[in-house]
Amino acid sequence: MTALERSWFEEAQQSMHGWDFSHLAGRWQTADLPWDYAALVREHLSADDRWLDIDTGGGELMGRFNHQPALTAVTEGWQPNIELLKQTVVKKGITLYPDAAEQLTAVPNSTFDIVTNSHGAMPVKRIAEVLKPGGRFVTQQVGATNNYALSRFFDEHYEPAYPDNQLLTVMAQMQAAGFEILRVEQAYAALSFTDVGAIVYYATVIPWEFPHFDVARMLPKLHQLQSLLAINGRVTTFEDRFMIIARKLARRD
């Protein structure tokens, strides 16, 4: 085994805490989206709002907004992140709803002024139910074709894990659930990796886009990527993204 191959096996053994890709700093680059999700949240999040952040990961993004802990709640489904949140945000007074099924089952109805969702599950009907009438929903989503070319490179039989997470489908679901859609946008942003080890790490920690990824089995493919990377110094795929801002309509009897 070569030193390069050993480094790929080592990358596959790295772990990630929360939703933190700092391990890839300087080894990947993503083109800017035409919107700023954090700015959109700040625009719609008022100081006295009761706020729910869905699939918060390790709470890294949620924590940037410095909202009052007593008015803040989060959901998370991945057990390692749940344990992390118990030791961090819960101790600050933020409410945590463990949500392995990603259906907001334990979240009370008609409670929140605003719900945010960055790359999380989209149980649209339940999101409408936990919002108060007039409440706002701000989301940025990973579309069904995210990194499709790279996923298919590793597995010619790959099909998207969430094929219905597409802008048109989600918009229709939201209208049916009683939302007024205020703004939508969609974009495809180039994502470039500057070394194959970074791709190995990325594929390992995102198994839903790279199912059954195994370094030993993928060695021929990884060497192909290494030769392709030598051409222009990077391997590029595309991120599929869309955003929606909506308001829950008042009930009409």
Side-chain angles (χ1 to χ4, degrees):
M1 183 184 298
T2 68
L4 182 60
E5 290 171 341
R6 280 196 297 272
S7 73
W8 294 339
F9 279 97
E10 290 169 1
E11 288 289 351
Q13 299 304 312
Q14 299 288 334
S15 60
M16 183 170 67
H17 298 283
W19 194 243
D20 179 7
F21 286 93
S22 59
H23 180 68
L24 296 181
R27 306 167 66 193
W28 69 340
Q29 183 177 12
T30 305
D32 292 337
L33 294 170
W35 63 84
D36 181 336
Y37 173 77
L40 295 175
V41 173
R42 289 190 177 94
E43 179 183 343
H44 291 274
L45 178 63
S46 299
D48 58 351
D49 280 341
R50 294 190 63 84
W51 172 34
L52 176 69
D53 189 45
I54 294 175
D55 286 349
T56 198
E60 299 87 357
L61 178 57
M62 177 274 299
R64 297 181 195 174
F65 299 104
N66 297 313
H67 199 59
Q68 294 184 64
L71 297 177
T72 304
V74 299
T75 73
E76 177 56 33
W78 193 43
Q79 194 61 40
N81 279 350
I82 291 172
E83 297 305 319
L84 175 63
L85 292 166
K86 288 178 180 178
Q87 299 304 315
T88 54
V89 304
V90 171
K91 290 186 175 181
K92 297 178 181 179
I94 291 172
T95 300
L96 166 64
Y97 297 104
D99 189 29
E102 298 186 321
Q103 293 297 314
L104 310 185
T105 306
V107 181
N109 288 352
S110 303
T111 299
F112 297 97
D113 301 290
I114 181 168
V115 172
T116 58
N117 180 330
S118 176
H119 303 178
M122 286 281 284
V124 171
K125 185 173 183 295
R126 280 295 296 142
I127 292 169
E129 289 172 346
V130 304
L131 275 168
K132 299 175 183 177
R136 289 89 62 207
F137 178 48
V138 181
T139 186
Q140 175 175 283
Q141 286 291 306
V142 177
T145 64
N146 196 66
N147 292 319
Y148 184 78
L150 189 58
S151 296
R152 290 281 290 192
F153 175 81
F154 286 121
D155 179 2
E156 63 183 11
H157 302 295
Y158 168 78
E159 295 295 339
Y162 305 100
D164 295 326
N165 205 39
Q166 304 178 48
L167 179 59
L168 288 177
T169 299
V170 174
M171 287 175 64
Q173 292 173 346
M174 293 184 69
Q175 285 185 325
F179 280 104
E180 175 189 11
I181 297 173
L182 306 176
R183 179 181 170 186
V184 298
E185 287 195 52
Q186 186 169 25
Y188 294 90
L191 171 61
S192 299
F193 297 90
T194 56
D195 71 82
V196 174
I199 297 174
V200 171
Y201 175 82
Y202 188 73
T204 301
V205 300
I206 307 184
W208 54 92
E209 288 186 7
F210 302 92
H212 314 300
F213 182 86
D214 176 77
V215 173
R217 188 165 53 87
M218 293 295 171
L219 279 176
K221 293 282 191 180
L222 296 174
H223 280 290
Q224 277 187 288
L225 287 177
Q226 187 67 29
S227 64
L228 293 171
L229 188 145
I231 296 172
N232 67 351
R234 62 187 61 235
V235 172
T236 300
T237 181
F238 286 88
E239 296 186 314
D240 179 356
R241 296 285 187 271
F242 63 88
M243 59 78 73
I244 302 175
I245 300 173
R247 179 171 53 231
K248 178 181 176 178
L249 295 170
R251 183 175 175 177
R252 294 188 295 269
D253 295 321

